[in-house]
Amino acid sequence: KISICCRNLKTMFLGSNNVRRLNHPVFSRWPHLEYLTLENIILDDVPNCLEIIGGQLKGLKIQCSGFDLTDIAIFCPKLESLIIQKEVPLGTVNWSRIEKYGRTSKMLFSNLKHMEITCCSLHKSSFTFIVKHAINILSIKIYSLPSLKREDFESWIRDKCLQQLGMVSLKNL
């Protein structure tokens, strides 16, 4: 088993062409894991996995249909890089769950420095949720976000968001 022979694993890719389940308790065996890619994982397994391993993750690449950004906000406080590929997360954020876990808005995405969005129909409200809390974000790459406008960036800058932002790459907007 990989969890026995690779205890010092720092980077992991989990996914397949077909949707699959995770044995989330096994993640407690990787105390050094910092970068995780999840692709085509059953929706219910994503928060269970992040609850166990999210506190140590610096990078997360996710491509799982219908995942909840609330889980990433709650369980991944040290996250520096977030890549959302192909699949669209839920369009709402569950604030009561965030409060239940004792997180304040200043704790959400506060370490995020890089964000890349390659899914084609991310809800603007989901993007706004991340941007308004990622106070240290340095770079954003967006491949498609149809409802995003230049005025949105201007508004976020006026609201003191994106103060550290040094690079924005917008494709297909």
Side-chain angles (χ1 to χ4, degrees):
K1 290 190 164 206
I2 193 169
S3 64
I4 295 170
C5 67
C6 300
R7 305 255 317 139
N8 293 322
L9 200 62
K10 290 190 183 263
T11 303
M12 178 184 288
F13 168 86
L14 290 171
S16 66
N17 290 332
N18 300 317
V19 177
R20 63 179 281 181
R21 292 208 68 100
L22 284 180
N23 178 11
H24 58 273
V26 77
F27 281 92
S28 62
R29 296 183 183 164
W30 290 299
H32 304 288
L33 190 65
E34 295 179 340
Y35 300 93
L36 179 62
T37 298
L38 297 175
E39 290 186 7
N40 295 325
I41 303 301
I42 289 185
L43 181 60
D44 293 341
D45 289 348
V46 173
N48 295 331
C49 168
L50 294 179
E51 187 169 11
I52 292 170
I53 201 79
Q56 65 195 55
L57 291 180
K58 291 182 180 179
L60 177 64
K61 183 188 293 187
I62 189 162
Q63 179 181 318
C64 301
S65 184
F67 73 92
D68 190 343
L69 280 174
T70 307
D71 296 322
I72 298 172
I74 291 171
F75 298 128
C76 303
K78 296 178 183 174
L79 201 63
E80 295 177 8
S81 175
L82 175 61
I83 300 172
I84 300 173
Q85 291 186 308
K86 294 184 183 177
E87 306 295 342
V88 180
L90 295 176
T92 59
V93 174
N94 188 330
W95 282 101
S96 63
R97 278 191 57 229
I98 290 172
E99 292 167 1
K100 174 184 163 192
Y101 282 92
R103 303 296 194 264
T104 64
S105 62
K106 290 184 179 183
M107 299 168 84
L108 307 176
F109 298 111
S110 62
N111 291 306
L112 194 65
K113 292 179 176 57
H114 170 74
M115 179 171 52
E116 186 173 319
I117 309 292
T118 64
C119 60
C120 60
S121 56
L122 180 75
H123 296 276
K124 183 175 164 184
S125 62
S126 297
F127 183 77
T128 300
F129 169 68
I130 297 170
V131 166
K132 288 204 171 215
H133 293 94
I135 57 172
N136 293 308
I137 197 149
L138 300 173
S139 67
I140 298 173
K141 290 182 183 179
I142 304 171
Y143 290 87
S144 181
L145 191 57
S147 59
L148 189 65
K149 299 181 175 115
R150 177 185 181 99
E151 293 82 22
D152 295 319
F153 278 97
E154 291 169 353
S155 171
W156 293 323
I157 290 169
R158 274 195 311 276
D159 292 343
K160 304 289 188 228
C161 302
L162 307 176
Q163 294 300 302
Q164 305 295 321
L165 187 66
M167 198 261 318
V168 176
S169 176
L170 306 172
K171 306 206 188 256
N172 300 326
L173 293 183

